[in-house]
Amino acid sequence: MKNIIPLSLCISFLFGCNSTSTENGNDKAQAKPDSVKIETPKDSIVKNVSTNAFNTDNQFNNITSVLAGYKGKANNLNYLFDTLIWDAHSKFIDSSWTRLEKKRLQAMKDWGRKEFETASAKTKIVFYPFSGPDYLTANAFFPNADKYIMLGLEPVGKLPDLAKFKKGEPSEYSNDFKKSLGDIFDKSYFITRKMQSDFQAQKVNGLLPILTFFIKRTGNEILDIKYLVRYNQDSISEVAYDFKSEERKPFGVRVDFLQEGKQKSVYYFKYDVSNKLFNDTTVFNKYINANTANCITYIKSASYLLHAGFMSNMRELILKNSSSIIQDDTGIPFKYFDAGKKFDVKLYGEYTRPVEDFPYLSLQKPLQDAFHADSLNVKKLPFHLGYHWGSKKDVIIFAQKK
């Protein structure tokens, strides 16, 4: 538990970004308001279409099939499973996934889909800030969403070109890939400090391999991957996966996938959403605001960042745009759900003080009072999720806008 980033370290990390970086949305030049181009994703959702109507024999799906350990499903890369390395990789992934399903994932699916049925019926958009590559738990709770918008500070990266690996590289990559999955398998969340180390180019290049792994392993087919680039404070645009530019690097990615005959999309953005870089003068603020209207916001293991004053812009956007907010106690402070009585709140689990990695934080008295006042109606959770994996005292706050 020593590697969770405390709030004080997050502050210095967030503001340690290069002030001229084009990745983080903090160009010095400010565009005039009427010149800003906000591009809303053009999702072509197709219902009840045969899988044969889509091209699932593509490089993205084939590479991810190998990473996901799906023997016989990687098309031109199936030969890799004849090697000792990728055969062992497949067996490790299969056994680890089976344990994850039994230990936590199946219970999350069964419980979440029942408890959040009304929330999911109101919207097909899930917004998951501070997510890292954790499509896994978002999908477990909200499998019927058409669009997932995720963001964090981890680099986007690329999928490995497995067919071009040289001697020794398959073993190194497989070991690093499995290592990067360790915390999500064991604790249910990614540790930010470890991700900064694990998702380096010489190891697993960014979070894209892990993100597509989760999409694939939850029973879907990868259809296409596009990068997203930002042009100063003027626009955000999608570009091809093989996009190359010396001047600007992609700061986001869109993964289109097929789920039971329906095309869906996951967006991930590497972006610092502290107030200095996320405000009404920045195109990314406008982009997120335009694309999360009436969404479900999901927050888990978020280092209590939304408790801080420097995150007030993101906190206010979430409270304004969300039809429902589903979070643990690391998300928005409970007092904001009481303010104005705009939300109906339901509590689950058992509330306790933040883990020792956050010694400067105390119990939220409004949340503690709410648990005491409604103690007879608070249901226990049939799974464990979040920072309290040691004590098993987990909390879920389900707030629905009135």
Side-chain angles (χ1 to χ4, degrees), residues 114-133:
K114 178 182 177 182
E115 294 294 329
F116 305 142
E117 182 179 9
T118 56
S120 296
K122 293 179 181 178
T123 179
K124 298 301 180 184
I125 301 170
V126 172
F127 179 43
Y128 188 179
F130 317 109
S131 63

Side-chain angles (χ1 to χ4, degrees), residues 56-305:
T56 58
D57 183 3
N58 61 72
Q59 62 171 324
F60 312 118
N61 202 35
N62 295 343
I63 291 171
T64 307
S65 293
V66 176
L67 298 181
Y70 281 137
K71 289 185 177 181
K73 297 183 180 181
N75 297 302
N76 68 321
L77 295 180
N78 279 327
Y79 72 93
L80 292 174
F81 289 114
D82 293 333
T83 66
L84 292 176
I85 297 301
W86 291 114
D87 177 64
H89 178 93
S90 176
K91 291 175 180 176
F92 172 85
I93 294 297
D94 281 343
S95 62
S96 297
W97 195 265
T98 298
R99 288 196 303 273
L100 177 65
E101 286 273 4
K102 291 180 179 179
K103 180 180 178 181
R104 182 171 66 248
L105 197 56
Q106 191 58 54
M108 287 180 61
K109 292 177 184 177
D110 295 342
W111 182 88
R113 295 174 190 191
K114 178 182 177 182
E115 294 294 329
F116 305 142
E117 182 179 9
T118 56
S120 296
K122 293 179 181 178
T123 179
K124 298 301 180 184
I125 301 170
V126 172
F127 179 43
Y128 188 179
F130 317 109
S131 63
D134 182 28
Y135 164 80
L136 178 66
T137 62
N139 172 256
F141 284 154
F142 319 110
N144 297 321
D146 291 335
K147 181 163 63 178
Y148 301 82
I149 300 175
M150 303 163 57
L151 60 88
L153 288 175
E154 295 72 39
V156 177
K158 295 186 74 71
L159 295 180
D161 193 345
L162 300 177
K164 294 183 179 180
F165 273 9
K166 298 176 182 178
K167 184 177 180 180
E169 290 183 332
S171 178
E172 292 176 3
Y173 192 92
S174 174
N175 288 336
D176 289 335
F177 186 84
K178 291 182 290 188
K179 179 182 176 183
S180 68
L181 290 169
D183 287 318
I184 197 74
F185 281 155
D186 296 336
K187 300 184 178 71
S188 82
Y189 61 91
F190 287 97
I191 295 176
T192 304
R193 188 180 301 171
K194 286 187 178 181
M195 284 193 288
Q196 299 299 323
S197 172
D198 290 344
F199 295 159
Q200 299 301 316
Q202 68 269 26
K203 296 182 179 181
V204 178
N205 187 354
L207 57 61
L208 185 59
I210 302 298
L211 176 62
T212 55
F213 166 84
F214 285 139
I215 295 172
K216 181 70 180 179
R217 195 72 209 197
T218 48
N220 307 308
E221 305 286 347
I222 309 295
L223 297 176
D224 194 16
I225 297 177
K226 290 184 174 67
Y227 285 123
L228 293 104
V229 296
R230 188 182 54 74
Y231 294 90
N232 299 320
Q233 293 297 346
D234 299 322
S235 66
I236 293 171
S237 299
E238 293 181 5
V239 297
Y241 180 77
D242 57 3
F243 170 83
K244 289 181 175 61
S245 172
E246 293 295 328
E247 296 182 359
R248 57 188 83 248
K249 298 179 181 180
F251 83 118
V253 66
R254 168 178 173 168
V255 181
D256 291 335
F257 62 96
L258 189 68
Q259 182 186 79
E260 298 178 352
K262 187 174 183 179
Q263 180 181 321
K264 301 186 175 188
S265 299
V266 170
Y267 295 78
Y268 170 81
F269 295 93
K270 178 189 183 297
Y271 198 94
D272 176 348
V273 292
S274 55
N275 291 352
K276 182 179 179 181
L277 306 177
F278 187 76
N279 54 63
D280 58 11
T281 70
T282 58
V283 69
F284 189 63
N285 180 289
K286 297 178 176 70
Y287 180 93
I288 292 296
N289 190 51
N291 286 288
T292 58
N294 192 44
C295 68
I296 293 172
T297 295
Y298 174 53
I299 308 168
K300 175 183 68 67
S301 306
S303 293
Y304 299 90
L305 287 170

